[in-house]
Coordinates of all heavy atoms in Angstrom, one line a residue:
M112 N 85.9 137.7 141.1 CA 86.8 138.8 141.5 C 87.3 139.5 140.2 O 87.5 140.7 140.3 CB 88.0 138.3 142.3 CG 87.6 137.8 143.7 SD 89.1 137.7 144.6 CE 88.4 137.3 146.2
L113 N 87.6 138.7 139.2 CA 88.1 139.3 137.9 C 86.9 139.7 137.1 O 85.8 139.1 137.1 CB 88.9 138.3 137.2 CG 90.2 137.8 137.9 CD1 90.9 136.7 137.1 CD2 91.2 139.0 138.0
P114 N 87.1 140.8 136.3 CA 86.1 141.2 135.3 C 85.7 140.0 134.4 O 86.5 139.2 134.0 CB 86.7 142.4 134.6 CG 87.8 142.8 135.4 CD 88.3 141.6 136.2
K115 N 84.4 140.0 133.9 CA 84.0 139.0 133.1 C 84.7 138.9 131.8 O 85.0 137.8 131.3 CB 82.5 139.2 132.8 CG 81.9 138.1 131.9 CD 80.4 138.1 132.0 CE 79.7 137.2 131.1 NZ 80.3 135.9 130.8
Q116 N 85.2 140.0 131.2 CA 85.9 140.0 129.9 C 87.2 139.2 130.1 O 87.6 138.4 129.2 CB 86.2 141.4 129.5 CG 85.0 142.1 128.9 CD 85.4 143.5 128.4 OE1 86.3 144.1 129.0 NE2 84.8 143.9 127.3
I117 N 87.9 139.4 131.2 CA 89.2 138.7 131.4 C 88.9 137.2 131.7 O 89.7 136.4 131.1 CB 89.9 139.3 132.6 CG1 90.3 140.8 132.3 CG2 91.1 138.5 133.0 CD1 90.9 141.5 133.4
T118 N 87.9 136.8 132.5 CA 87.7 135.4 132.7 C 87.2 134.7 131.4 O 87.6 133.6 131.2 CB 86.6 135.2 133.8 OG1 85.4 135.9 133.4 CG2 87.1 135.7 135.1
D119 N 86.4 135.4 130.6 CA 86.0 134.8 129.3 C 87.2 134.6 128.4 O 87.3 133.5 127.8 CB 85.0 135.7 128.6 CG 83.6 135.6 129.3 OD1 83.4 134.8 130.1 OD2 82.8 136.5 128.9
R120 N 88.1 135.5 128.4 CA 89.3 135.4 127.5 C 90.2 134.2 128.0 O 90.7 133.4 127.2 CB 90.1 136.7 127.5 CG 91.3 136.6 126.6 CD 91.9 137.9 126.4 NE 91.1 138.6 125.5 CZ 91.5 139.6 124.8 NH1 92.6 140.2 125.0 NH2 90.7 140.2 123.9
I121 N 90.4 134.1 129.3 CA 91.2 133.0 129.9 C 90.5 131.7 129.6 O 91.2 130.7 129.2 CB 91.4 133.2 131.4 CG1 92.3 134.4 131.7 CG2 91.9 131.9 132.1 CD1 92.4 134.8 133.1
Y122 N 89.2 131.6 129.7 CA 88.5 130.3 129.4 C 88.6 130.0 128.0 O 88.9 128.8 127.6 CB 87.0 130.5 129.7 CG 86.2 129.3 129.4 CD1 86.2 128.1 130.1 CD2 85.3 129.3 128.2 CE1 85.5 127.0 129.8 CE2 84.6 128.2 127.9 CZ 84.7 127.1 128.6 OH 84.0 126.0 128.3
R123 N 88.5 130.9 127.0 CA 88.6 130.6 125.6 C 90.1 130.2 125.3 O 90.3 129.3 124.5 CB 88.3 131.9 124.8 CG 86.8 132.0 124.6 CD 86.5 133.0 123.5 NE 87.1 134.3 123.8 CZ 86.5 135.4 124.4 NH1 85.2 135.2 124.7 NH2 87.1 136.5 124.6
L124 N 91.0 130.8 126.0 CA 92.4 130.4 125.8 C 92.6 128.9 126.2 O 93.3 128.2 125.4 CB 93.4 131.3 126.6 CG 94.8 131.0 126.5 CD1 95.3 131.3 125.1 CD2 95.6 131.8 127.5
H125 N 92.1 128.5 127.3 CA 92.2 127.1 127.7 C 91.5 126.2 126.8 O 92.0 125.1 126.5 CB 91.6 126.9 129.1 CG 92.5 127.5 130.2 ND1 93.8 127.1 130.4 CD2 92.3 128.5 131.1 CE1 94.3 127.8 131.4 NE2 93.4 128.7 131.8
V126 N 90.3 126.5 126.3 CA 89.6 125.7 125.3 C 90.4 125.6 124.0 O 90.6 124.5 123.4 CB 88.2 126.3 125.0 CG1 87.5 125.6 123.8 CG2 87.3 126.2 126.3
A127 N 91.0 126.7 123.6 CA 91.8 126.7 122.3 C 93.0 125.8 122.5 O 93.4 125.1 121.6 CB 92.2 128.1 122.0
Q128 N 93.7 125.9 123.7 CA 94.8 125.1 123.9 C 94.5 123.6 124.0 O 95.2 122.7 123.4 CB 95.5 125.5 125.2 CG 96.3 126.8 125.2 CD 96.8 127.2 126.5 OE1 96.3 126.8 127.6 NE2 97.9 128.0 126.5
A129 N 93.3 123.3 124.6 CA 92.9 121.9 124.7 C 92.6 121.4 123.3 O 92.9 120.2 122.9 CB 91.6 121.8 125.5
F130 N 91.9 122.2 122.4 CA 91.6 121.8 121.1 C 92.9 121.6 120.3 O 93.1 120.6 119.5 CB 90.8 122.8 120.4 CG 90.3 122.4 119.0 CD1 89.4 121.4 118.8 CD2 90.8 123.0 117.9 CE1 89.0 121.0 117.6 CE2 90.5 122.6 116.6 CZ 89.5 121.6 116.5
D131 N 93.9 122.4 120.4 CA 95.2 122.3 119.8 C 95.9 121.0 120.2 O 96.4 120.3 119.3 CB 96.1 123.5 120.1 CG 97.4 123.5 119.4 OD1 97.4 123.2 118.1 OD2 98.5 123.6 120.0
I132 N 95.9 120.7 121.4 CA 96.5 119.5 121.9 C 95.8 118.3 121.4 O 96.4 117.3 120.9 CB 96.5 119.4 123.5 CG1 97.5 120.5 124.0 CG2 96.9 118.1 124.0 CD1 97.4 120.8 125.5
F133 N 94.4 118.3 121.3 CA 93.7 117.2 120.8 C 94.0 117.0 119.3 O 94.2 115.9 118.9 CB 92.2 117.5 121.0 CG 91.3 116.5 120.3 CD1 91.1 115.2 120.8 CD2 90.6 116.9 119.1 CE1 90.3 114.3 120.1 CE2 89.8 116.0 118.4 CZ 89.7 114.7 118.9
M134 N 94.1 118.1 118.5 CA 94.3 118.0 117.1 C 95.7 117.4 116.9 O 96.0 116.6 116.0 CB 94.2 119.3 116.4 CG 92.7 119.8 116.3 SD 91.6 118.6 115.6 CE 92.3 118.5 114.0
R135 N 96.7 117.8 117.7 CA 98.1 117.3 117.6 C 98.1 115.8 117.9 O 98.8 115.0 117.2 CB 99.0 118.0 118.5 CG 99.3 119.4 118.0 CD 100.2 120.1 118.9 NE 100.3 121.5 118.6 CZ 101.5 122.2 118.5 NH1 102.6 121.6 118.8 NH2 101.5 123.5 118.2
A136 N 97.3 115.4 118.9 CA 97.2 114.0 119.2 C 96.6 113.1 118.1 O 97.1 112.0 117.8 CB 96.4 113.8 120.5
V137 N 95.5 113.7 117.5 CA 94.9 113.0 116.4 C 95.9 112.8 115.2 O 96.0 111.8 114.6 CB 93.6 113.7 115.9 CG1 93.1 113.2 114.6 CG2 92.5 113.6 117.0
D138 N 96.6 113.9 114.9 CA 97.6 113.9 113.9 C 98.7 112.8 114.1 O 99.1 112.0 113.3 CB 98.2 115.3 113.7 CG 99.2 115.3 112.5 OD1 98.8 114.8 111.4 OD2 100.3 115.9 112.7
L139 N 99.2 112.9 115.4 CA 100.3 111.9 115.8 C 99.8 110.5 115.7 O 100.5 109.6 115.2 CB 100.7 112.3 117.2 CG 101.9 111.4 117.7 CD1 103.1 111.6 116.9 CD2 102.1 111.8 119.2
S140 N 98.6 110.2 116.2 CA 98.1 108.8 116.1 C 97.8 108.4 114.7 O 98.1 107.2 114.4 CB 96.8 108.7 117.0 OG 95.8 109.4 116.4
S141 N 97.3 109.2 113.8 CA 97.1 108.8 112.4 C 98.4 108.6 111.7 O 98.5 107.6 110.9 CB 96.3 109.9 111.7 OG 97.0 111.1 111.5
R142 N 99.5 109.4 112.0 CA 100.8 109.1 111.4 C 101.4 107.8 111.9 O 102.0 107.1 111.2 CB 101.7 110.3 111.7 CG 101.4 111.5 110.9 CD 102.3 112.7 111.3 NE 101.8 113.9 110.9 CZ 102.4 114.7 110.0 NH1 103.6 114.3 109.5 NH2 101.9 115.8 109.6
A143 N 101.2 107.5 113.2 CA 101.7 106.3 113.8 C 101.0 105.1 113.2 O 101.6 104.1 112.8 CB 101.5 106.3 115.3
V144 N 99.7 105.1 113.0 CA 98.9 104.0 112.4 C 99.4 103.8 110.9 O 99.6 102.7 110.5 CB 97.4 104.3 112.4 CG1 96.6 103.4 111.5 CG2 96.9 104.2 113.8
A145 N 99.6 104.9 110.2 CA 100.1 104.8 108.8 C 101.5 104.1 108.8 O 101.8 103.3 108.0 CB 100.1 106.2 108.2
H146 N 102.3 104.6 109.7 CA 103.7 104.0 109.8 C 103.7 102.5 110.1 O 104.3 101.7 109.4 CB 104.5 104.7 110.9 CG 105.8 104.2 111.1 ND1 106.9 104.3 110.3 CD2 106.3 103.4 112.1 CE1 108.0 103.7 110.7 NE2 107.6 103.1 111.9
Y147 N 102.9 102.1 111.1 CA 102.8 100.7 111.5 C 102.1 99.9 110.4 O 102.5 98.7 110.2 CB 102.1 100.5 112.8 CG 102.9 101.1 113.9 CD1 102.3 102.0 114.8 CD2 104.3 100.8 114.1 CE1 103.1 102.6 115.9 CE2 105.0 101.4 115.1 CZ 104.4 102.3 116.0 OH 105.2 102.8 117.0
R148 N 101.2 100.4 109.7 CA 100.5 99.7 108.6 C 101.5 99.5 107.5 O 101.5 98.4 106.9 CB 99.3 100.6 108.1 CG 98.6 99.9 107.0 CD 97.9 98.6 107.5 NE 97.4 97.9 106.4 CZ 96.1 97.8 106.1 NH1 95.2 98.4 106.8 NH2 95.7 97.1 105.1
L149 N 102.3 100.5 107.2 CA 103.3 100.3 106.1 C 104.4 99.3 106.5 O 104.8 98.5 105.7 CB 104.0 101.6 105.8 CG 103.2 102.6 105.0 CD1 103.9 104.0 104.9 CD2 102.9 102.1 103.6
E150 N 104.7 99.2 107.8 CA 105.7 98.2 108.3 C 105.1 96.8 108.1 O 105.8 95.9 107.7 CB 106.0 98.5 109.8 CG 107.4 99.0 110.0 CD 107.6 99.2 111.5 OE1 107.1 98.5 112.3 OE2 108.4 100.1 111.8
S151 N 103.8 96.7 108.5 CA 103.3 95.3 108.4 C 103.0 94.9 107.0 O 103.1 93.7 106.6 CB 102.0 95.2 109.2 OG 101.0 96.0 108.7
D152 N 102.6 95.8 106.1 CA 102.3 95.5 104.7 C 103.5 95.3 103.9 O 103.5 94.5 102.9 CB 101.4 96.5 104.1 CG 99.9 96.5 104.6 OD1 99.6 95.5 105.3 OD2 99.2 97.4 104.4
A153 N 104.6 96.0 104.2 CA 105.9 95.9 103.5 C 105.7 96.1 102.0 O 106.0 95.2 101.2 CB 106.6 94.6 103.8
P154 N 105.2 97.2 101.5 CA 105.0 97.5 100.1 C 106.4 97.5 99.4 O 107.4 97.8 100.0 CB 104.3 98.8 100.0 CG 104.6 99.5 101.3 CD 104.8 98.4 102.3
D155 N 106.4 97.3 98.1 CA 107.7 97.4 97.3 C 108.2 98.8 97.2 O 109.4 99.0 97.3 CB 107.5 96.8 95.9 CG 107.2 95.3 95.9 OD1 107.7 94.6 96.9 OD2 106.4 94.9 95.1
V156 N 107.3 99.8 97.1 CA 107.7 101.2 97.0 C 106.8 102.0 97.9 O 105.6 101.8 97.9 CB 107.6 101.6 95.5 CG1 108.0 103.1 95.4 CG2 108.5 100.8 94.6
I157 N 107.4 103.0 98.6 CA 106.6 103.9 99.4 C 106.9 105.3 98.8 O 108.0 105.7 98.7 CB 107.0 103.9 100.8 CG1 106.7 102.5 101.4 CG2 106.3 104.9 101.6 CD1 107.2 102.3 102.8
I158 N 105.8 106.0 98.5 CA 105.9 107.4 98.0 C 105.5 108.3 99.1 O 104.4 108.2 99.6 CB 105.0 107.6 96.8 CG1 105.4 106.6 95.7 CG2 105.1 109.0 96.3 CD1 104.5 106.7 94.5
R159 N 106.4 109.1 99.6 CA 106.1 110.1 100.7 C 106.3 111.5 100.2 O 107.4 112.0 100.2 CB 107.1 109.8 101.8 CG 106.9 108.4 102.5 CD 107.8 108.2 103.6 NE 107.7 106.9 104.1 CZ 107.4 106.5 105.3 NH1 107.2 107.4 106.2 NH2 107.3 105.3 105.6
P160 N 105.2 112.1 99.9 CA 105.3 113.6 99.5 C 105.7 114.4 100.7 O 105.5 114.0 101.9 CB 103.8 113.9 99.1 CG 103.1 112.6 99.0 CD 103.8 111.6 99.8
N161 N 106.3 115.5 100.4 CA 106.8 116.4 101.5 C 105.7 117.3 102.0 O 105.6 118.5 101.7 CB 108.0 117.2 100.9 CG 108.6 118.1 102.0 OD1 108.5 117.8 103.2 ND2 109.4 119.0 101.6
V162 N 104.8 116.7 102.8 CA 103.6 117.4 103.3 C 103.6 117.4 104.9 O 102.6 117.6 105.5 CB 102.3 116.8 102.8 CG1 102.2 117.0 101.3 CG2 102.2 115.3 103.1
H163 N 104.8 117.2 105.5 CA 104.9 117.1 106.9 C 104.5 118.4 107.6 O 104.1 118.4 108.7 CB 106.3 116.7 107.4 CG 107.3 117.7 107.0 ND1 107.9 117.6 105.8 CD2 107.9 118.7 107.7 CE1 108.8 118.6 105.7 NE2 108.8 119.3 106.8
H164 N 104.5 119.5 106.8 CA 104.2 120.8 107.4 C 102.7 121.1 107.4 O 102.3 122.1 108.0 CB 105.0 121.9 106.6 CG 104.6 122.0 105.2 ND1 105.1 121.0 104.3 CD2 103.7 122.8 104.5 CE1 104.6 121.3 103.1 NE2 103.7 122.4 103.2
L165 N 101.9 120.2 106.8 CA 100.5 120.5 106.7 C 99.8 119.8 107.9 O 100.1 118.6 108.2 CB 99.9 119.9 105.4 CG 100.4 120.6 104.2 CD1 99.9 119.8 102.9 CD2 100.1 122.0 104.1
D166 N 98.9 120.5 108.6 CA 98.1 119.9 109.7 C 96.7 119.5 109.2 O 96.3 119.9 108.1 CB 98.0 120.9 110.8 CG 99.4 121.0 111.6 OD1 100.1 120.0 111.7 OD2 99.6 122.1 112.1
L167 N 96.0 118.9 110.0 CA 94.7 118.3 109.6 C 93.7 119.4 109.1 O 93.0 119.2 108.2 CB 94.1 117.5 110.8 CG 92.8 116.8 110.6 CD1 93.1 115.7 109.5 CD2 92.3 116.1 111.8
L168 N 93.6 120.5 109.8 CA 92.6 121.5 109.5 C 93.2 122.7 108.7 O 92.6 123.7 108.6 CB 91.9 122.0 110.8 CG 91.1 120.9 111.5 CD1 90.5 121.5 112.7 CD2 90.1 120.3 110.6
D169 N 94.4 122.6 108.2 CA 95.0 123.7 107.5 C 94.3 123.9 106.2 O 93.9 122.9 105.5 CB 96.5 123.4 107.2 CG 97.4 123.6 108.4 OD1 96.9 124.1 109.4 OD2 98.6 123.2 108.3
K170 N 94.2 125.1 105.8 CA 93.6 125.4 104.5 C 94.8 125.3 103.5 O 95.9 125.8 103.7 CB 93.1 126.8 104.4 CG 91.8 127.0 105.2 CD 91.1 128.3 104.9 CE 89.8 128.4 105.7 NZ 88.9 129.2 105.2
V171 N 94.6 124.6 102.4 CA 95.6 124.3 101.4 C 95.1 124.7 100.0 O 93.9 124.7 99.8 CB 96.1 122.9 101.5 CG1 96.7 122.5 102.8 CG2 95.0 121.9 101.1
V172 N 96.1 124.9 99.2 CA 95.8 125.1 97.8 C 96.0 123.7 97.2 O 97.1 123.1 97.2 CB 96.7 126.1 97.1 CG1 96.4 126.2 95.6 CG2 96.6 127.5 97.8
V173 N 94.9 123.1 96.7 CA 95.0 121.7 96.2 C 96.0 121.5 95.1 O 96.7 120.5 95.1 CB 93.6 121.2 95.7 CG1 93.6 119.8 95.1 CG2 92.6 121.3 96.9
K174 N 96.1 122.5 94.2 CA 97.1 122.4 93.1 C 98.5 122.3 93.7 O 99.3 121.5 93.2 CB 96.9 123.6 92.3 CG 97.8 123.6 91.0 CD 97.5 124.8 90.1 CE 98.3 124.7 88.9 NZ 98.0 125.9 88.0
D175 N 98.8 123.0 94.7 CA 100.2 123.0 95.3 C 100.4 121.7 96.0 O 101.5 121.1 95.8 CB 100.3 124.1 96.3 CG 100.3 125.5 95.7 OD1 100.5 125.6 94.5 OD2 100.1 126.5 96.5
V176 N 99.4 121.1 96.7 CA 99.6 119.8 97.3 C 99.7 118.7 96.3 O 100.5 117.8 96.4 CB 98.4 119.5 98.3 CG1 98.6 118.2 98.9 CG2 98.4 120.6 99.4
A177 N 99.0 118.8 95.2 CA 99.1 117.8 94.1 C 100.5 117.9 93.5 O 101.0 116.8 93.2 CB 98.0 118.1 93.1
M178 N 101.0 119.1 93.4 CA 102.4 119.2 92.8 C 103.4 118.5 93.8 O 104.4 117.9 93.3 CB 102.8 120.7 92.6 CG 102.1 121.3 91.4 SD 102.5 120.5 89.9 CE 104.2 120.7 89.8
L179 N 103.2 118.6 95.1 CA 104.1 117.9 96.0 C 104.0 116.4 95.8 O 105.0 115.7 95.8 CB 103.7 118.3 97.4 CG 104.0 119.7 97.9 CD1 103.4 119.9 99.3 CD2 105.5 120.0 97.8
G180 N 102.8 115.9 95.5 CA 102.7 114.5 95.2 C 103.3 114.1 93.9 O 104.0 113.1 93.8
E181 N 103.2 114.9 92.9 CA 103.8 114.6 91.6 C 105.3 114.7 91.7 O 106.0 113.8 91.1 CB 103.3 115.6 90.6 CG 101.9 115.4 90.2 CD 101.4 116.5 89.2 OE1 102.3 117.2 88.6 OE2 100.2 116.5 89.0
D182 N 105.9 115.6 92.5 CA 107.3 115.7 92.7 C 107.8 114.4 93.4 O 108.9 113.9 93.1 CB 107.7 116.9 93.6 CG 107.5 118.2 92.8 OD1 107.3 118.2 91.6 OD2 107.4 119.2 93.5
A183 N 107.0 113.9 94.4 CA 107.4 112.7 95.1 C 107.4 111.5 94.2 O 108.3 110.6 94.3 CB 106.5 112.5 96.3
V184 N 106.4 111.4 93.3 CA 106.4 110.3 92.3 C 107.6 110.4 91.4 O 108.2 109.4 91.1 CB 105.1 110.3 91.5 CG1 105.1 109.3 90.4 CG2 103.9 110.0 92.4
E185 N 107.9 111.6 90.9 CA 109.1 111.7 90.1 C 110.4 111.3 90.8 O 111.2 110.7 90.2 CB 109.2 113.2 89.6 CG 108.2 113.6 88.6 CD 108.3 113.0 87.3 OE1 109.5 112.7 86.9 OE2 107.3 112.8 86.6
A186 N 110.5 111.5 92.1 CA 111.7 111.2 92.8 C 111.8 109.6 92.9 O 113.0 109.2 93.0 CB 111.6 111.8 94.2
V187 N 110.7 108.9 93.0 CA 110.8 107.5 93.2 C 110.5 106.7 91.9 O 110.4 105.4 92.0 CB 109.9 107.0 94.4 CG1 110.3 107.6 95.7 CG2 108.5 107.2 94.0
L188 N 110.4 107.4 90.8 CA 110.1 106.7 89.6 C 111.1 105.6 89.2 O 110.6 104.5 88.8 CB 110.0 107.7 88.4 CG 109.2 107.3 87.2 CD1 107.8 106.8 87.6 CD2 109.0 108.4 86.3
P189 N 112.4 105.8 89.3 CA 113.3 104.7 89.0 C 113.0 103.4 89.9 O 113.1 102.3 89.5 CB 114.7 105.2 89.3 CG 114.5 106.7 89.2 CD 113.1 107.0 89.6
E190 N 112.8 103.7 91.2 CA 112.5 102.6 92.1 C 111.2 101.9 91.8 O 111.1 100.7 91.9 CB 112.5 103.1 93.5 CG 112.4 102.1 94.6 CD 112.4 102.7 96.0 OE1 112.7 103.9 96.2 OE2 112.0 102.0 96.9
L191 N 110.2 102.7 91.4 CA 108.9 102.2 91.0 C 109.0 101.3 89.7 O 108.5 100.2 89.6 CB 108.0 103.3 90.8 CG 106.5 103.0 90.6 CD1 106.0 102.2 91.7 CD2 105.7 104.3 90.4
K192 N 109.8 101.8 88.7 CA 110.0 101.0 87.5 C 110.7 99.7 87.8 O 110.4 98.6 87.3 CB 110.8 101.8 86.5 CG 110.1 102.9 85.9 CD 110.9 103.7 84.9 CE 110.2 104.8 84.3 NZ 111.0 105.6 83.4
K193 N 111.7 99.7 88.7 CA 112.4 98.5 89.1 C 111.4 97.5 89.8 O 111.5 96.3 89.6 CB 113.5 98.8 90.0 CG 114.4 97.6 90.4 CD 115.3 98.0 91.5 CE 116.7 98.3 91.0 NZ 117.7 98.5 92.1
A194 N 110.5 98.0 90.7 CA 109.6 97.2 91.4 C 108.6 96.5 90.6 O 108.2 95.4 90.9 CB 108.9 98.0 92.5
V195 N 108.3 97.0 89.4 CA 107.3 96.4 88.6 C 107.9 95.7 87.3 O 107.2 95.3 86.4 CB 106.2 97.4 88.1 CG1 105.4 97.9 89.3 CG2 106.8 98.5 87.3
S196 N 109.2 95.6 87.3 CA 109.9 95.0 86.2 C 109.6 93.5 86.2 O 109.2 92.9 87.2 CB 111.4 95.2 86.3 OG 111.9 94.5 87.4
W197 N 109.7 92.9 85.0 CA 109.4 91.5 84.9 C 110.3 90.6 85.8 O 109.9 89.6 86.3 CB 109.3 91.0 83.5 CG 110.7 91.0 82.8 CD1 111.3 92.0 82.1 CD2 111.5 89.8 82.7 NE1 112.5 91.5 81.7 CE2 112.7 90.2 82.0 CE3 111.4 88.5 83.2 CZ2 113.7 89.3 81.8 CZ3 112.5 87.7 82.9 CH2 113.6 88.1 82.2
T198 N 111.6 91.0 85.9 CA 112.5 90.2 86.7 C 112.1 90.2 88.2 O 112.2 89.2 88.8 CB 114.0 90.7 86.5 OG1 114.0 92.1 86.8 CG2 114.5 90.4 85.1
R199 N 111.7 91.4 88.6 CA 111.3 91.5 90.0 C 110.0 90.6 90.3 O 109.9 89.9 91.3 CB 111.0 92.9 90.4 CG 110.5 93.2 91.8 CD 111.4 92.9 92.9 NE 112.6 93.8 93.0 CZ 112.6 94.9 93.7 NH1 111.6 95.3 94.4 NH2 113.7 95.7 93.7
R200 N 109.1 90.7 89.3 CA 107.9 89.9 89.5 C 108.2 88.4 89.4 O 107.6 87.6 90.2 CB 106.9 90.3 88.4 CG 106.2 91.6 88.7 CD 105.2 92.0 87.6 NE 105.9 92.2 86.4 CZ 105.3 92.5 85.2 NH1 104.0 92.5 85.2 NH2 106.0 92.7 84.1
V201 N 109.1 88.0 88.5 CA 109.4 86.5 88.5 C 110.1 86.1 89.8 O 109.8 85.0 90.3 CB 110.3 86.3 87.2 CG1 110.9 84.9 87.3 CG2 109.5 86.4 86.0
N202 N 111.0 86.9 90.3 CA 111.7 86.6 91.5 C 110.7 86.5 92.7 O 110.8 85.6 93.6 CB 112.7 87.7 91.9 CG 114.0 87.4 91.1 OD1 114.3 86.3 90.7 ND2 114.8 88.5 90.9
K203 N 109.7 87.4 92.7 CA 108.7 87.4 93.7 C 107.8 86.1 93.7 O 107.5 85.5 94.7 CB 107.8 88.6 93.6 CG 107.1 89.0 94.9 CD 106.5 90.3 94.8 CE 106.0 90.8 96.1 NZ 105.4 92.1 96.1
I204 N 107.5 85.7 92.4 CA 106.7 84.4 92.3 C 107.5 83.2 92.8 O 107.0 82.4 93.5 CB 106.3 84.3 90.8 CG1 105.3 85.3 90.4 CG2 105.7 82.9 90.6 CD1 105.0 85.4 89.0
F205 N 108.8 83.1 92.3 CA 109.6 81.9 92.7 C 110.2 82.0 94.1 O 110.3 80.9 94.7 CB 110.7 81.7 91.6 CG 110.1 81.2 90.3 CD1 110.3 82.0 89.2 CD2 109.5 80.0 90.2 CE1 109.8 81.6 88.0 CE2 109.0 79.6 89.0 CZ 109.2 80.4 87.9
F206 N 110.6 83.1 94.5 CA 111.3 83.2 95.8 C 110.5 83.9 96.9 O 110.9 83.9 98.1 CB 112.7 83.9 95.6 CG 113.5 83.2 94.6 CD1 113.8 83.8 93.4 CD2 114.1 82.0 94.8 CE1 114.5 83.2 92.4 CE2 114.9 81.3 93.9 CZ 115.1 82.0 92.7
G207 N 109.4 84.5 96.5 CA 108.6 85.2 97.5 C 109.3 86.4 98.1 O 110.5 86.6 98.1
G208 N 108.5 87.3 98.6 CA 109.0 88.5 99.3 C 109.8 89.4 98.4 O 109.7 89.3 97.2
K209 N 110.6 90.3 99.0 CA 111.4 91.2 98.2 C 112.8 90.6 97.8 O 113.3 89.9 98.6 CB 111.7 92.5 99.0 CG 110.5 93.3 99.2 CD 110.9 94.5 100.1 CE 110.0 95.7 99.8 NZ 110.5 96.9 100.5
R210 N 113.2 91.0 96.7 CA 114.6 90.6 96.2 C 115.2 91.7 95.5 O 114.6 92.4 94.8 CB 114.5 89.3 95.4 CG 114.4 88.1 96.2 CD 115.1 87.0 95.5 NE 114.9 85.8 96.3 CZ 115.9 85.2 96.9 NH1 117.1 85.7 96.8 NH2 115.6 84.2 97.7

């Protein structure tokens, strides 16, 4: 009953919406896996660059994303130095786990 142009546009809209939902689900599941993996591994230091605004298929400028990573490292550098200090390593050997 509707013209072919309108039905084609509606069909493409539904496909695009389905793809968007699928991509969001993939992103959400990968973030959840990363979160649970970090919980189970319990690393001494976690570096989290401020990249939450980037999606899986976004076009990015690699230099800008690398700068976000460098900024994140700078922010946790004192914590990182403390984690690899000789006293922390000795405590870990003798007492295990984090101290």
Side-chain angles (χ1 to χ4, degrees):
M112 293 194 174
L113 295 173
K115 183 167 174 34
Q116 287 181 324
I117 294 174
T118 57
D119 286 348
R120 181 168 284 198
I121 291 171
Y122 175 74
R123 280 194 302 264
L124 180 66
H125 288 296
V126 171
Q128 285 176 337
F130 184 71
D131 182 51
I132 291 168
F133 172 75
M134 292 305 298
R135 288 177 190 229
V137 167
D138 184 47
L139 182 64
S140 65
S141 66
R142 288 176 194 243
V144 166
H146 174 75
Y147 294 129
R148 180 66 191 254
L149 286 174
E150 253 183 28
S151 69
D152 289 348
D155 293 330
V156 178
I157 298 174
I158 300 174
R159 294 182 188 235
N161 187 16
V162 293
H163 63 275
H164 61 282
L165 298 176
D166 287 326
L167 187 63
L168 296 178
D169 284 351
K170 289 190 179 205
V171 297
V172 178
V173 175
K174 187 175 180 179
D175 294 343
V176 176
M178 285 302 296
L179 293 173
E181 290 178 13
D182 293 343
V184 170
E185 289 291 328
V187 299
L188 201 53
E190 189 180 346
L191 189 58
K192 286 179 182 177
K193 185 191 261 187
V195 296
S196 69
W197 71 271
T198 54
R199 176 69 67 92
R200 287 184 288 176
V201 168
N202 280 336
K203 199 170 191 177
I204 291 169
F205 288 118
F206 304 109
K209 289 180 154 184
R210 282 210 181 247

